[in-house]
Amino acid sequence: MNEKKKPGCLKIILIVFGVFLALSIIIAIIGSLADDSSEPTTASTTKETTAKTSQGSEELFATAKKQFEEGSYLDASATIEKAIKAENKDEYTKLKTDIAAKIKERKTKLESGFEIKEDKVENITFISPSEGVTKGLVFYPYIGVKDSKKYMLLRVGFQEDTSKALFVFTSIKVRAGDKLEELSFNPLNKSSDVDILGAGMTEIVDINVNKTIQNMLDSQIPSTEEVIVRFEDISNKSTDYTLTKEQKQTIADILEYYNYLD
């Protein structure tokens, strides 16, 4: 009886190799197709990102222009910086230069209405309204700069005829619309002067401007038509003054200049 011949090892190896080769070719084709299909998607995503960046910078540029036209120069400066960071364009850079020039111009104009004094002993620069203390209500902030650091003080008081020379205030209240603020101060910091033959009586105190007072100066006073300042003495006797438009403008000018300082 003749025995059947078994397949040789070489034939089996060739079959396995053929199957492996075929699978490799199929996998390579699928991978190539996948790469080809992803290229347009990547390109499309890049274009969309670029378009969004450009749109965002244009919106910032438009906002900065509007703020500049409205006189909000510091806000405009901050906004155009964001636009330039997103996308640097010549028109953005030009607006940034225009804003910086306007701020410099405003600082110079404001300084012309201020009195600037140097305390060479304490190395402090004081910036205050040039009119200083005048008849009636005294109410204005002024700036101190020491070691390149700025701060504000609020000078409050009055200058009156000698008929009020015995009136020494112990309390100060400010009514601005529905807001009532009592200004705290140290009585030892008060300055009083009686000039019978001249100005009469002057009594003033300097108060550190904290967040509450700054909010009153920044927001409450400008938005309120009638702002009343009341001085009271220890016996509850009181005298009221109303801020004038000129005094409100002086406050606004000092605050604007303060914000321009580095």
Side-chain angles (χ1 to χ4, degrees), residues 30 41 71 91 127 135 141 159 164 180 183 201 218 256:
I30 293 173
T41 303
E91 57 184 337
I127 306 164
K135 276 288 188 185
Q159 185 183 86
K164 293 188 177 182
L180 176 64
L183 306 182
M201 177 181 180
D218 276 331
E256 182 182 357

Side-chain angles (χ1 to χ4, degrees), residues 45-57 87:
T45 303
T46 302
K47 288 180 180 179
E48 288 177 4
T49 302
T50 303
K52 287 181 180 179
T53 299
S54 181
Q55 181 182 2
S57 64
E87 187 177 14

Side-chain angles (χ1 to χ4, degrees), residues 12 38 45 53 78 117 119 154 168 200 202 220 228 230-231 241:
I12 293 172
S38 67
T45 303
T53 299
K117 292 183 177 180
D119 184 336
L154 178 64
V168 179
T202 302
Q220 295 170 19
I228 302 171
R230 170 170 291 179
F231 297 92
Y241 296 90

Side-chain angles (χ1 to χ4, degrees), residues 37-261:
S37 63
S38 67
E39 285 179 3
T41 303
T42 303
S44 176
T45 303
T46 302
K47 288 180 180 179
E48 288 177 4
T49 302
T50 303
K52 287 181 180 179
T53 299
S54 181
Q55 181 182 2
S57 64
E58 285 295 330
E59 289 175 354
L60 288 169
F61 176 61
T63 301
K65 283 181 65 178
K66 183 178 180 183
Q67 291 169 332
F68 180 54
E69 291 166 359
E70 292 174 347
S72 300
Y73 305 126
L74 291 176
D75 291 337
S77 179
T79 304
I80 199 61
E81 286 288 357
K82 292 179 182 178
I84 291 172
K85 187 175 181 180
E87 187 177 14
N88 199 345
K89 290 185 177 181
D90 290 342
E91 57 184 337
Y92 298 178
T93 304
K94 183 181 181 305
L95 180 58
K96 178 182 176 180
T97 302
D98 292 343
I99 294 170
K102 191 64 179 179
I103 289 176
K104 184 178 179 180
E105 178 187 326
R106 280 295 297 163
K107 284 181 69 177
T108 301
K109 184 176 180 180
L110 289 168
E111 282 175 358
S112 66
F114 296 155
E115 182 177 11
I116 301 177
K117 292 183 177 180
E118 300 284 344
D119 184 336
K120 294 183 179 180
V121 175
E122 298 292 342
N123 193 27
I124 305 175
T125 301
F126 292 109
I127 306 164
S128 61
S130 58
E131 66 268 18
V133 177
T134 56
K135 276 288 188 185
L137 175 66
V138 177
F139 193 98
Y140 62 83
Y142 69 94
I143 302 168
V145 181
K146 180 177 176 62
D147 299 329
S148 299
K149 293 182 180 179
K150 62 182 181 178
Y151 61 92
M152 268 198 302
L153 295 169
L154 178 64
R155 177 159 289 182
V156 189
F158 53 78
Q159 185 183 86
E160 288 292 0
D161 296 331
T162 52
S163 60
K164 293 188 177 182
L166 297 178
F167 181 77
V168 179
F169 65 81
T170 56
S171 170
I172 306 171
K173 296 177 182 177
V174 181
R175 166 67 69 180
D178 60 351
K179 298 288 185 180
L180 176 64
E181 299 289 351
E182 182 163 1
L183 306 182
S184 300
F185 61 91
N186 185 344
L188 297 177
N189 292 335
K190 283 202 308 174
S191 172
S192 299
D193 179 59
V194 179
D195 181 4
I196 297 177
L197 300 177
M201 177 181 180
T202 302
E203 187 174 11
I204 57 175
V205 65
D206 290 339
I207 303 171
N208 289 322
V209 175
N210 56 26
K211 289 183 178 179
T212 300
I213 294 177
Q214 184 150 3
N215 181 61
M216 178 186 71
L217 298 173
D218 276 331
S219 303
Q220 295 170 19
I221 288 178
S223 63
T224 306
E225 183 174 350
E226 185 179 47
V227 179
I228 302 171
V229 182
R230 170 170 291 179
F231 297 92
E232 295 178 343
D233 67 9
I234 197 169
S235 63
N236 291 326
K237 178 184 174 183
S238 65
T239 299
D240 292 349
Y241 296 90
T242 301
L243 281 180
T244 65
K245 290 182 179 179
E246 291 75 17
Q247 287 171 322
K248 286 184 177 181
Q249 187 59 55
T250 296
I251 293 170
D253 289 345
I254 288 286
L255 292 176
E256 182 182 357
Y257 188 82
Y258 182 81
N259 290 330
Y260 291 147
L261 295 176

